[in-house]
């Protein structure tokens, strides 16, 4: 009993929606040529006017109808067509109204009590709209469309015409099911692709962070080694040190050595199983000219402008080198043939790095990518507490500008300032 009640509720909901809505969302059709998108509405409107006039004339000639009545029936016959894609339920409602009025003053020897245009429109609306609506609405639509057939079509032809309408409705159901399945599949694929892209971006950022941490290990390890050596040799270089000072230098050396050991353990965690140990010294700002020269040998029209000044800390120089390296790689990949200018400006408290490439002289060979290189730059700059701006330039090229402070930003006072 509950199953029957549920079935009746679904059918009643389909009937209500058929006549009261809400209608189904519109469908936008993109033509392959932009000029056709502009010309198609006007051409379609002229075609509808011409078909309406021809249908009215047919009704006047074949049924001896008054001109006004023939025009009204002709308009009702054509009017569903503009609603097919944007308001499918309204297209069927207008078609059904025209189907009822289209039999006015019909001839008894007519197999179809409607004009040839109305026959085509009825079948087209039943097929196109039926493919978009759900099954309950389609059932009522097919049944109500058949009622005028059973009333006005002669007994010799009603059976065949009924079969034709039922076949069209079944085809609409199958086409609609295929369309909905493809739409659902496309939505799931798009969602999965978006998730995969997000996961790829997260993985790239994590890999870049690991790479930065491994590079920074060598920089920090160098400083810690110097601290340990200086703390160990200080008592020998200063023989008159009191015993408490000697003990403090020994404690500093022991702490530095322990920190180095802990850092090596941390590096072992960060390094992948097949990763090679970093034995070469990390590049710095002094290696950027060689980097630009290598880019020139690879065909990049690169120009370097470096201002004089105090050398920055090793971590800042390493970050500047990697930023220039990634920017040059992006320029060669996405702007082939473009001129690239690299500017390095050491200031009193920070280092300014700017890489600008002009518009590409040729089409890039590959895709534009997802911008993970920019994400890696941001990670490096953020680690130092600096700022990075990357985006299109006014001349149609692309610019990357970074400010790398020499000292980390001061930490906010958690307890607030007292007074």
């Amino acid at each position: 009993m509950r199953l029957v009640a549920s079935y009746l509720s679904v059918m009643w909901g389909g009937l209500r929606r058929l006549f009261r809505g809400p209608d189904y969302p519109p469908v936008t059709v993109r033509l392959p040529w932009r000029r056709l998108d502009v010309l198609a509405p006007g051409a379609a409107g002229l075609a509808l006017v011409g078909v309406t006039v021809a249908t009215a004339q047919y009704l006047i000639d074949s049924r001896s109808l008054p001109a006004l009545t023939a025009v009204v029936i002709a308009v009702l016959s054509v009017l569903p067509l503009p609603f097919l894609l944007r308001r499918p339920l309204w297209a069927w409602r207008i078609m059904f109204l025209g189907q009822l009025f289209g039999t006015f003053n019909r001839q008894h020897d007519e197999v179809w009590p409607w004009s040839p245009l109305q026959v085509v429109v009825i079948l087209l609306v039943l097929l196109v709209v039926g493919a978009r609506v759900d099954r309950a609405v389609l059932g009522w639509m097919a049944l109500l469309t058949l009622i005028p057939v059973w009333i006005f079509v002669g007994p010799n032809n009603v059976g065949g015409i009924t079969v034709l309408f039922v076949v069209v409705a079944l085809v609409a159901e199958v086409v609609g099911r295929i369309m909905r399945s493809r739409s659902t599949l496309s939505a799931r694929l798009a969602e999965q692709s978006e998730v995969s892209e997000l996961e790829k971006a997260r993985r790239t950022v994590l890999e870049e962070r690991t790479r930065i941490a491994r590079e920074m290990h060598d920089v920090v390890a160098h400083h810690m080694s110097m601290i340990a050596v200086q703390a160990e040799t200080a008592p020998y270089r200063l023989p008159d040190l009191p015993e408490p000072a000697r003990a403090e230098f020994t404690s500093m050396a022991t702490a530095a050595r322990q920190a180095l050991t802990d850092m090596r353990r941390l590096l072992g965690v960060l390094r992948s199983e097949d990763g090679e140990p970093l034995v070469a010294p990390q590049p710095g700002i002094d290696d950027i000219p060689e980097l630009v020269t290598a880019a020139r040998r690879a065909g990049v029209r690169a120009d370097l402008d470096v201002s004089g000044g105090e050398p920055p800390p090793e971590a800042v120089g390493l970050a500047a080198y990697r930023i220039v390296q990634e920017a040059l790689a992006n320029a060669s990949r996405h702007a082939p043939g473009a001129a690239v200018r690299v500017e390095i400006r050491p200031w009193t408290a920070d280092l300014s790095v700017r890489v600008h490439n002009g518009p590409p002289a040729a089409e890039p060979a590959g895709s534009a990518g997802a911008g993970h290189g920019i994400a890696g730059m941001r990670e490096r700059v953020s680690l130092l507490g600096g700022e990075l701006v990357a985006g299109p330039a006014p001349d149609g090229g692309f610019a990357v500008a970074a400010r790398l402070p020499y000292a980390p930003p001061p930490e906010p006072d958690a307890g607030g300032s007292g007074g």
Side-chain angles (χ1 to χ4, degrees), residues 17 23-27 85-88 132:
R17 181 164 191 178
D23 213 328
Y24 291 80
V27 174
L85 298 179
R86 296 194 170 273
R87 292 291 183 268
R132 298 203 52 205

Side-chain angles (χ1 to χ4, degrees), residues 282-352:
Q282 293 300 327
I285 191 172
D286 294 334
D287 299 297
I288 292 180
E290 183 180 350
L291 180 65
V292 174
T293 302
R296 290 197 193 105
R297 287 197 297 264
V300 180
R301 299 182 341 179
D303 181 28
L304 177 63
D305 181 8
V306 181
S307 298
E310 292 295 326
E314 291 185 41
V316 174
L318 172 61
Y321 181 91
R322 294 303 185 195
I323 290 172
V324 173
Q325 183 182 44
E326 183 64 34
L328 287 174
N330 288 342
S332 64
R333 187 183 308 118
H334 306 307
V340 184
R341 181 174 179 80
V342 180
E343 298 177 0
I344 308 293
R345 299 283 185 268
W347 303 108
T348 304
D350 55 40
L351 178 69
S352 174

Side-chain angles (χ1 to χ4, degrees), residues 2-28:
R2 185 175 300 176
L3 182 61
V4 174
S6 176
Y7 178 77
L8 292 177
S9 175
V10 171
M11 295 305 296
W12 172 246
L15 181 60
R16 289 187 59 183
R17 181 164 191 178
L18 181 60
F19 285 101
R20 297 182 59 183
D23 213 328
Y24 291 80
V27 174
T28 302

